[in-house]
Amino acid sequence: MSSSFDPAPSPKIVIAPDSFKSTASADEAAEWLAEGVSSVIRDAQIILAPMADGGEGTSALFEGERVCLPTTTADGRLTEAEYTFHAATETAYIDVAAASGLPAVEDNPAPLTGDTYGTGVLIADAETRGAKRIVLGLGGTATVDGGTGILVALGVNPLDEAGYQLKPGGGSLERLAGFDTAKVNVPAGALEWVLLTDTTAPATGHDGAAHVFGPQKGATREDIELLDRGLARLCEVAEIDPQTPGLGAAGGVGIGLMWLSTMLHGNDEHVHIVPGARVVADSNGLTEQVDGAALVITGEGRFDGQTGTGKVASVVGELASDAGAVFAVAAGRFDEQPAEGTIAVTLPEVDDVREQLVQAGAEIAVAYLNTSTVQG
């Protein structure tokens, strides 16, 4: 006979967290949350489905060879970055955050001069290995350059009215007059582009890349206005609608890529802006795995106003709701409260990340058992 605290024999529990920035990968977070859950619900059928939404760690969730090569950070310093190349499907999975991410410049952010050149190096390398399609994760960047750094790496130089090349970064884009395409890397630029976004933000305006994401990249109020004007000018020269949903992801990287692809193909049909978390959920089987689940758990570093615009927690929550499962979130902090009925657990203040997640998993399990008992 089941105990009063056991809502169902061997409940199916799906654990699908995002990475916790530089402290825990999505795989580690899933394992450690599961350890906590199983310490309380010992007979649970636990399924791990590490998630990402286009930010740090997305490319590592896809199958293929991990490629590591020298490149540059957002502020131009030498570094190494990895991406995944799946030869059978001729697809490269690249995170913009791998080379152009915020952690590498966190101590000295460069919102006006940081650029995505280092990501362009990875893209060019993938094309030489036989990639015909680039799945580009657009999250966690330190840049607001509209993808112009990638363009420079692919042989396209942005110019001012006098014909001089602009300095790197979004701070100079308001002086953009055109592009020098004499040395463009046609094979790389003509690839199929799948842009995984973690936001629906447009390129410009108060809901755009500079205003929403600029502050976390170190931009002052004056910087934000300058960057916003720069992205608006880039969209004007590129003849792209700045209000396109998702175009504000990764500091407007999609603007430059859409312009390049349209210039080479004559249309924008080879650039696809899609919700990253949905693509990952379909790829790792989460969409099917939540079917029949009693409890679905996710986690992320911070649950805030941006969470509901396409990040992992919002997508996992929607899948849990559709499946009729109890939904739980573990987060380092909650700047906003999740939807009513969600089990929300703040990570405990202990030094060890693994212990934080194990304890959070156990706390979620206890809350789930209590909720299930109360509900019958």
Side-chain angles (χ1 to χ4, degrees), residues 65 67-69 82-87 89-95 118-136 154 185 187-189 191-193:
E65 174 193 359
V67 178
C68 180
L69 67 151
E82 294 184 345
Y83 69 91
T84 299
F85 178 57
H86 192 248
T89 58
E90 301 177 317
T91 300
Y93 300 91
I94 300 174
D95 299 339
T119 298
V121 171
L122 304 184
I123 292 168
D125 181 80
E127 188 279 324
T128 65
R129 294 175 190 269
K132 296 293 188 292
R133 183 173 69 147
I134 302 290
V135 178
L136 198 62
L154 300 185
N185 183 338
L191 296 171
E192 197 79 10
W193 302 92

Side-chain angles (χ1 to χ4, degrees), residues 17-63:
D18 196 355
S19 63
F20 282 70
K21 295 300 181 184
S22 302
T23 59
S25 68
D27 289 286
E28 291 171 334
E31 291 175 7
W32 296 337
L33 285 167
E35 187 177 337
V37 170
S38 60
S39 71
V40 175
I41 310 176
R42 299 185 183 279
D43 64 341
Q45 176 194 348
I46 296 178
I47 297 174
L48 305 185
M51 279 289 292
D53 52 21
E56 181 183 4
T58 299
S59 71
L61 297 181
F62 292 92
E63 293 184 2

Side-chain angles (χ1 to χ4, degrees), residues 163-298:
Y164 293 106
Q165 183 171 342
L166 295 179
K167 292 181 179 180
S172 62
L173 284 179
E174 68 173 348
R175 296 187 290 107
L176 177 68
F179 297 99
D180 176 4
T181 60
K183 297 180 180 180
V184 61
N185 183 338
V186 174
L191 296 171
E192 197 79 10
W193 302 92
V194 179
L195 309 183
L196 306 184
T197 68
D198 60 354
T199 178
T200 56
T204 62
H206 288 292
D207 296 324
H211 283 274
V212 175
F213 304 109
Q216 69 191 42
K217 301 178 185 187
T220 65
R221 184 175 302 176
E222 292 76 15
D223 293 340
I224 289 170
E225 296 303 328
L226 176 59
L227 291 167
D228 192 63
R229 292 195 303 272
L231 291 179
R233 178 57 181 163
L234 176 60
C235 287
E236 182 181 5
V237 172
E239 298 183 342
I240 292 173
D241 181 3
Q243 294 307 302
T244 303
L247 207 56
V253 157
I255 304 169
L257 295 179
M258 190 173 291
W259 170 83
L260 177 61
S261 185
T262 301
M263 187 266 293
L264 293 173
H265 289 286
N267 57 58
D268 63 3
E269 296 175 2
H270 297 268
V271 180
H272 315 278
I273 302 176
V274 297
R278 284 285 178 181
V279 172
V280 175
D282 290 340
S283 176
N284 70 4
L286 177 63
T287 306
E288 292 78 30
Q289 289 166 344
V290 298
D291 185 39
L295 172 64
V296 176
I297 302 171
T298 192

Side-chain angles (χ1 to χ4, degrees), residues 4-8 40-41 294-295 324-328 340-345 363-376:
S4 60
F5 280 100
D6 192 352
V40 175
I41 310 176
L295 172 64
V326 175
F327 178 52
E340 186 178 353
T342 301
I343 297 172
V345 171
E363 187 175 343
I364 287 172
V366 170
Y368 164 70
L369 293 176
N370 289 338
T371 301
S372 300
T373 302
V374 170
Q375 292 178 347

